[in-house]
Amino acid sequence: MKNIKGVIFDFDGTLLDSMNVWYHFEIEYLKSLGAEARPGLAEVLRSLSSIEEAIYFQEEYGVTKSVDEIISGRNKLIGEKYRNSIPLKPGALEVLETLHKQGKKITIATATERELIGPAVDRLELPKYVDRVFTCEEVGVSKSSPDIFIQAAEHMGTAINETLVVEDALYAVKTAKKAGFIVAGIYDASSEDHKEEIQRLSDYYWMDFEEMKDNII
């Protein structure tokens, strides 16, 4: 990995051990709006921005609240967990420390809104290692477009072909790979059904951060 100058990490499901929290939360949140989640909801929501998710709830579940009301209500309920309790994945901090000591540029590119991610990033003291956080909300498109990865690489001053994107979600792996980034898939239980395809598409694949650390030293 000597040719890699910068690393872009996804947040939820990659650095942060949060996908199981989201899975149960979305079911309960829909229930609070008077709707019952259908099978496969988590998979559908994975590739959607917060605005797209709110529109999906309106169109597919008949939720009558406005997009802003849905997002605000959702963030208010789950925000406490980001502020106080959701942990990093085991070994993630050590990997960030190692990359930082190696002089690699590090950014985060996430589909999660800054309102949620900001308190978690600060609580976990990630600014020691992470230069900047990019959100799909602020970029204006989901990770189905490579824009967020391109902006992160431009900020780091690293060429696409010397920038590693670390992701746990298949759709984001596909986007980054198609755009020419070096891609590392990392395992998360929420992507179990896509594990083999993520492995096939990725330049690297690690089951956890301990395995990643062994391969970057």
Side-chain angles (χ1 to χ4, degrees):
M1 295 178 62
K2 292 182 180 179
N3 62 320
I4 292 171
K5 305 288 180 60
V7 185
I8 304 170
F9 283 96
D10 172 51
F11 196 57
D12 288 282
T14 297
L15 288 173
L16 198 70
D17 198 5
S18 57
M19 295 312 296
N20 192 49
V21 175
W22 270 108
Y23 173 73
H24 292 289
F25 167 76
E26 297 289 8
I27 293 173
E28 292 303 314
Y29 181 57
L30 267 179
K31 187 181 294 184
S32 76
L33 297 176
E36 185 170 345
R38 296 190 286 270
L41 175 67
E43 184 64 30
V44 172
L45 297 183
R46 224 141 178 209
S47 62
L48 302 184
S49 67
S50 58
I51 293 174
E52 291 169 336
E53 179 180 315
I55 293 171
Y56 180 80
F57 284 168
Q58 290 174 330
E59 294 179 347
E60 298 297 324
Y61 286 89
V63 175
T64 57
K65 290 181 180 292
S66 70
V67 168
D68 286 344
E69 287 173 332
I70 293 171
I71 294 173
S72 177
R74 159 187 175 270
N75 288 358
K76 183 177 180 180
L77 288 173
I78 201 167
E80 181 275 332
K81 296 184 182 299
Y82 275 84
R83 287 191 300 273
N84 299 314
S85 62
I86 303 177
L88 287 173
K89 286 195 169 180
L93 189 62
E94 290 78 5
V95 165
L96 291 174
E97 290 175 341
T98 299
L99 291 171
H100 184 69
K101 287 177 180 177
Q102 291 176 347
K104 312 288 189 192
K105 301 289 187 178
I106 304 172
T107 53
I108 289 173
T110 177
T112 305
E113 300 93 319
R114 190 170 297 278
E115 176 184 352
L116 295 178
I117 189 178
V121 167
D122 291 340
R123 169 175 60 86
L124 297 164
E125 300 184 344
L126 298 187
K128 289 181 180 179
Y129 316 106
V130 176
D131 187 52
R132 183 170 170 183
V133 174
F134 290 82
T135 72
C136 289
E137 176 188 33
E138 293 162 346
V139 172
V141 289
S142 72
K143 288 184 183 177
S144 295
S145 161
D147 290 15
I148 192 169
F149 301 127
I150 291 170
Q151 287 190 25
E154 288 176 347
H155 173 78
M156 294 188 294
T158 57
I160 287 176
N161 64 0
E162 59 184 18
T163 304
L164 179 70
V165 174
V166 185
E167 279 279 356
D168 68 300
L170 176 60
Y171 84 102
V173 166
K174 286 181 176 179
T175 298
K177 187 66 178 176
K178 186 175 181 180
F181 288 91
I182 304 166
V183 178
I186 193 158
Y187 178 79
D188 187 78
S190 64
S191 295
E192 174 68 38
D193 290 347
H194 299 141
K195 177 183 174 183
E196 290 186 5
E197 189 169 3
I198 292 172
Q199 286 178 304
R200 180 177 61 80
L201 291 172
S202 299
D203 299 287
Y204 304 94
Y205 186 85
W206 299 300
M207 287 299 296
D208 53 36
F209 279 100
E210 291 300 326
E211 189 175 346
M212 180 177 180
K213 186 177 179 181
D214 289 342
N215 285 274
I216 62 174
I217 294 175

